[in-house]
Amino acid sequence: MSAFWIIVAIVFGTLFIFGILIISIYNQLVVLKNRAQNAFAQIDVQLKRRYDLIPNMIEVAKKYLSHEQETLTKVIEARNTAKIALESVADNNPDALNNLNKAESSLQNALKGFNITLEAYPDLKANTTMIQLNEELSSTENKVAFARQAYNDNVMGFNTYKQIFPNNFIAGFFVKFAKDLEMLEFDEKHEVLNQVPKVQF
């Protein structure tokens, strides 16, 4: 065998190995990105469930809080803003996750104000429908926190894999992997990310 054929075999062997490496890295990036998107879909389900519970709570509370319209209006407006922000994430709008973080933070603050207002109304706190809605909301909040943590874990896995050499070099050739995925924190500090919001009536 001549030196020419040996060089050709080495070149083709190297190209073949490099091609397998590119395909392997690309496929792993696809898998990790799909996992993150699936994890966000779980958040989407729980947030929609919460958005559906809030109007029911407001309706029950309206009977008792007729002169607290400002508080009720703030909660509904914050809920509607958060719902629109969630829909914009589904539409792949730029800055959609940042808008969702801000909207969710505003909704949390509005719900806190709502809870403080309810403390002054023992009859409302004892209402069986309100107690049931409160339990459903607490359960949903737990599921949102769990789904958000799972999403953030998947995002971290994708971003870390993408940033490691030679993956970062290969990912740079594909537009769909150009940006890191964003974490979803709802403007909370890392140490309180896993704490369940307390909703008391």
Side-chain angles (χ1 to χ4, degrees):
M1 196 177 209
S2 72
F4 172 76
W5 290 112
I6 293 174
I7 292 172
V8 168
I10 290 173
V11 168
F12 278 116
T14 303
L15 290 175
F16 178 76
I17 291 171
F18 188 67
I20 295 295
L21 178 67
I22 290 173
I23 291 169
S24 174
I25 290 172
Y26 178 87
N27 288 341
Q28 187 63 24
L29 286 168
V30 169
V31 166
L32 292 172
K33 188 171 184 178
N34 287 341
R35 284 183 187 162
Q37 289 171 336
N38 181 52
F40 187 82
Q42 301 307 313
I43 294 171
D44 182 66
V45 167
Q46 297 307 323
L47 289 178
K48 286 178 181 175
R49 182 170 187 261
R50 182 174 67 172
Y51 298 156
D52 291 343
L53 284 171
I54 290 171
N56 294 335
M57 291 179 69
I58 296 298
E59 283 303 313
V60 171
K62 275 183 183 178
K63 297 174 188 174
Y64 297 89
L65 305 174
S66 58
H67 60 285
E68 300 280 358
Q69 287 299 317
E70 183 180 341
T71 302
L72 299 175
T73 302
K74 283 182 182 177
V75 172
I76 290 297
E77 287 174 355
R79 176 251 184 209
N80 291 341
T81 302
K83 188 173 180 182
I84 290 168
L86 180 62
E87 290 167 359
S88 73
V89 171
D91 295 337
N92 293 322
N93 291 341
D95 298 326
L97 278 179
N98 288 333
N99 293 337
L100 180 61
N101 280 334
K102 291 175 186 172
E104 280 296 319
S105 188
S106 295
L107 179 58
Q108 291 289 346
N109 290 333
L111 285 172
K112 286 177 188 175
F114 180 66
N115 293 334
I116 290 169
T117 301
L118 293 180
E119 288 295 319
Y121 297 90
D123 292 341
L124 178 58
K125 287 172 50 177
N127 181 293
T128 55
T129 304
M130 186 58 86
I131 291 170
Q132 180 184 5
L133 290 170
N134 179 43
E135 288 173 3
E136 286 183 43
L137 183 62
S138 293
S139 171
T140 301
E141 292 292 346
N142 289 336
K143 291 174 184 175
V144 167
F146 180 76
R148 187 175 55 191
Q149 184 64 49
Y151 170 77
N152 286 342
D153 290 345
N154 281 296
V155 165
M156 185 181 298
F158 171 81
N159 290 343
T160 301
Y161 185 78
K162 190 185 92 148
Q163 294 166 357
I164 295 172
F165 183 81
N167 304 356
N168 60 349
F169 177 72
I170 293 169
F173 290 110
F174 302 101
V175 175
K176 68 192 236 177
F177 302 126
K179 289 185 177 180
D180 283 350
L181 297 177
E182 294 180 46
M183 302 284 262
L184 191 59
E185 297 184 18
F186 301 155
D187 291 338
E188 293 178 353
K189 295 179 182 174
H190 292 286
E191 55 270 9
V192 297
L193 187 61
N194 290 322
Q195 290 180 356
V196 177
K198 292 188 179 183
V199 181
Q200 297 178 346
F201 294 98

